[in-house]
Amino acid sequence: MTARTTRARHRAARRPVASFAQSSTIGRNATIVAAGAGILVSTFGAAAAPAVAAPLPDSSTKLSTVDLSALTEQAREALAAAPVVAVAADAQFGVEQAAVSVTPAPAKVTRATTTSSTTSTTSIGAAVPASANGSTIVSIAARYVGVPYLSGGTTPDGFDCSGFTAYVYAQAGISLPRTSSAQAAGGTRVSRADAQPGDLVYAPGHIGIYAGGNTMIDAPRPGKTVQFRAIWMSAPQFIRY
């Protein structure tokens, strides 16, 4: 009998087909998948890592715990270099208050007047006479003592008589006509006995402000300045607004 030998037959090896064939779960919601020649790691839905509390470089003078996991490297460096002020637990704070002193404005101001050849200094403003104390109109008028007379003038650069009275009254909120005769006609005439400081004093062609007693304040005439002086009219009229 002849011995017969039969060889075992084997399938030819095939190339592995890339597929998601093998997987194993690692940790919570984290899956490693073998696929062909590479490994894909899925971390979708993974739980956030817990915050790590760590001391700063100098824990003796700064806060001992900071959530460093939420900080960028730049923020960590800035935090570590931030200055620290140490204050005793029993420290007390107070506010120093300095005394405040009030200096009233001077009653007079200085006005420089320039001519073609000289420069002179005029003192502007004067105290209110005792006879007119309490009068708002006279107090305002006294500020302009020393202002030069100026024909047609209606400002502190220069006044004529009715320009002066109209300007002073306007500072008190009272509007007067422009001319002296219109001012006299527009108010209420009162007797000399009933006249009060602040009323107008009028004579044809001129007007001023009564300052009590036998005094008035006005812008007299060219070459003069606003001043307190005695009432010079022979028959003055007193006009009230």
Side-chain angles (χ1 to χ4, degrees):
M1 180 180 282
T2 304
R4 192 172 176 183
T5 305
T6 303
R7 284 182 80 179
R9 297 179 66 184
H10 300 276
R11 275 186 195 176
R14 293 185 179 182
R15 280 183 77 180
V17 179
S19 63
F20 299 101
Q22 298 178 9
S23 66
S24 60
T25 301
I26 300 177
R28 183 180 179 184
N29 297 326
T31 303
I32 300 176
V33 181
I39 295 178
L40 301 179
V41 179
S42 174
T43 58
F44 294 104
V52 178
L56 293 174
D58 186 1
S59 59
S60 63
T61 58
K62 300 179 180 179
L63 295 176
S64 61
T65 59
V66 175
D67 184 3
L68 299 181
S69 65
L71 299 177
T72 64
E73 186 62 29
Q74 183 178 6
R76 296 186 194 193
E77 293 176 0
L79 183 62
V84 175
V85 178
V87 180
D90 59 349
Q92 296 182 354
F93 297 89
V95 178
E96 182 178 350
Q97 296 182 349
V100 178
S101 59
V102 179
T103 302
K108 298 183 179 182
V109 296
T110 300
R111 182 190 301 272
T113 303
T114 304
T115 62
S116 58
S117 59
T118 62
T119 299
S120 60
T121 301
T122 304
S123 180
I124 305 300
V128 176
S131 59
N133 279 342
S135 170
T136 299
I137 296 295
V138 177
S139 295
I140 295 171
R143 302 172 188 170
Y144 305 104
V145 167
V147 172
Y149 180 95
L150 177 65
S151 180
T154 60
T155 73
D157 290 331
F159 291 115
D160 63 15
C161 65
S162 58
F164 173 64
T165 53
Y167 186 88
V168 170
Y169 267 69
Q171 304 310 299
I174 302 172
S175 179
L176 296 183
R178 174 62 184 89
T179 65
S180 60
S181 58
Q183 290 177 9
T188 302
R189 184 176 298 185
V190 296
S191 67
R192 184 163 189 161
D194 292 332
Q196 298 176 359
D199 290 341
L200 297 177
V201 183
Y202 171 75
H206 188 74
I207 199 164
I209 297 172
Y210 181 52
N214 191 44
T215 60
M216 63 184 292
I217 178 172
D218 64 343
R221 62 182 184 275
K224 297 293 184 178
T225 62
V226 173
Q227 59 184 278
F228 285 102
R229 60 175 177 158
I231 296 175
W232 53 270
M233 300 93 147
S234 59
Q237 300 174 23
F238 294 87
I239 312 298
R240 180 169 300 162
Y241 276 84

